[in-house]
Amino acid sequence: MDPSPHRLSEQLLEAIEERIVTGEYPPGARLDEVNLAEVFGVSRTPIREALIRLSTIRMIEKTPRKGWAVAPVSPRRLMEMFEFMAELEALCARFAAQRATPFQLQRLNAAHEACRGVTDPDEYYRLNEVFHQALYEASGNEFLVEQTLEMQRRARPYRRLQLRAPTRIGESFAEHREIVEAILSRDADLAGQKLREHVMLQGERFSSLVRSVEKLLAPATKRRA
């Protein structure tokens, strides 16, 4: 790993986050600093820094006498998270339609096209993040970009999980196309509407995500029984 302390902490954060997202560290699982230091071959200091940062985005929590553990999430919490994320991103889309430069529009469209034909959920999610970040930056509002990126990181495990549902990748790509077309045509209201619909969880999409989270939670529940 990169010896730079800040970069090392960032790499560890991403590695632990990856294991949470994929269910290797399910909700309720204990995260022991000593054990993690051995797993990643580093000292406890950068591990502790990564865990503190994960706690600030509420992916993990500190419990009395048990230390760090992966935070559970309720269906209500999931819905509230996606409602808020949908409004933030809708505002980004509205501003992008009004303010984006030709270069930013070109970059947004290129990020969209890079997702075409991708079928692997993890690879699609990585490219999906590039697309959304290009959209945020096209808003021309740095404070909004900062807040949206922070919220994106908090919602990341669950946005990633929903891509594992059948047909979701194809639907997501089609929704991206509608968002890009609205922004390119400078239709702020339509861009905001399409982005909000893209992020917001409704009906079967929400039920599917809840089932996925419950599957991740099941092993931890059995261990505690």
Side-chain angles (χ1 to χ4, degrees), residues 20 23-32 59-61 63 66-73 158 213 216-224:
I20 292 173
E24 186 171 346
Y25 299 154
R30 186 175 175 225
L31 300 177
D32 180 74
M59 286 190 71
I60 66 172
E61 58 187 9
T63 57
K66 292 185 179 180
W68 296 109
V70 179
V73 61
Y158 312 107
V213 172
L216 292 182
L217 182 58
T221 303
K222 289 179 181 178
R223 285 197 297 271
R224 291 196 297 269

Side-chain angles (χ1 to χ4, degrees), residues 95-105 108 137-140 183 186:
F95 284 171
Q98 295 167 340
R99 305 173 179 178
T101 66
F103 174 76
Q104 288 171 330
L105 293 176
L108 178 65
E137 291 170 9
S139 73
I183 292 174
R186 301 295 187 178

Side-chain angles (χ1 to χ4, degrees), residues 33 41 95 105 180 195 218:
E33 290 181 14
F95 284 171
L105 293 176
V180 171
L195 203 297

Side-chain angles (χ1 to χ4, degrees), residues 93-129:
R94 287 181 57 84
F95 284 171
Q98 295 167 340
R99 305 173 179 178
T101 66
F103 174 76
Q104 288 171 330
L105 293 176
Q106 182 180 21
R107 183 181 175 197
L108 178 65
N109 193 54
H112 165 59
E113 289 299 326
C115 296
R116 185 183 296 278
V118 178
T119 57
D120 177 72
D122 293 333
E123 177 63 17
Y124 183 86
Y125 184 77
R126 283 190 286 272
L127 295 170
N128 176 71
E129 278 197 318

Side-chain angles (χ1 to χ4, degrees), residues 46-223:
I47 290 290
R48 187 178 303 113
E49 291 173 354
L51 293 177
I52 290 172
R53 291 180 63 192
L54 285 168
S55 72
T56 64
I57 57 175
R58 300 181 70 170
M59 286 190 71
I60 66 172
E61 58 187 9
K62 201 160 193 177
T63 57
R65 297 182 299 278
K66 292 185 179 180
W68 296 109
V70 179
V73 61
S74 67
R76 180 188 177 104
R77 180 74 175 177
L78 276 176
M79 181 59 77
E80 290 174 346
M81 186 182 301
F82 275 82
E83 281 181 343
F84 185 53
M85 191 76 208
E87 292 303 320
L88 280 178
E89 294 209 20
L91 186 56
C92 287
R94 287 181 57 84
F95 284 171
Q98 295 167 340
R99 305 173 179 178
T101 66
F103 174 76
Q104 288 171 330
L105 293 176
Q106 182 180 21
R107 183 181 175 197
L108 178 65
N109 193 54
H112 165 59
E113 289 299 326
C115 296
R116 185 183 296 278
V118 178
T119 57
D120 177 72
D122 293 333
E123 177 63 17
Y124 183 86
Y125 184 77
R126 283 190 286 272
L127 295 170
N128 176 71
E129 278 197 318
V130 174
F131 171 79
H132 280 267
Q133 288 173 16
L135 190 150
Y136 306 159
E137 291 170 9
S139 73
N141 185 312
E142 290 186 8
F143 183 76
L144 177 60
V145 172
E146 291 170 4
Q147 298 303 307
T148 308
L149 284 171
E150 180 179 345
M151 190 60 209
Q152 182 199 47
R153 171 146 260 171
R154 292 177 67 171
R156 180 181 181 185
Y158 312 107
R159 294 183 78 162
R160 188 169 179 173
L161 270 178
Q162 66 167 320
L163 290 173
R164 298 182 183 278
T167 77
R168 181 56 198 151
I169 290 178
E171 293 168 352
S172 174
F173 182 79
E175 291 162 11
H176 283 184
R177 182 175 63 249
E178 292 181 340
I179 294 164
V180 171
E181 288 174 352
I183 292 174
L184 290 176
S185 63
R186 301 295 187 178
D187 190 332
D189 289 340
L190 183 60
Q193 174 191 330
K194 291 299 182 181
L195 203 297
R196 185 180 296 107
E197 292 171 354
H198 172 64
V199 175
M200 192 59 214
L201 289 172
Q202 297 174 346
E204 181 55 31
R205 280 181 61 196
F206 181 67
S207 298
S208 177
L209 179 56
V210 170
R211 288 195 298 269
S212 296
V213 172
E214 288 174 342
K215 285 179 182 179
L216 292 182
L217 182 58
T221 303
K222 289 179 181 178
R223 285 197 297 271

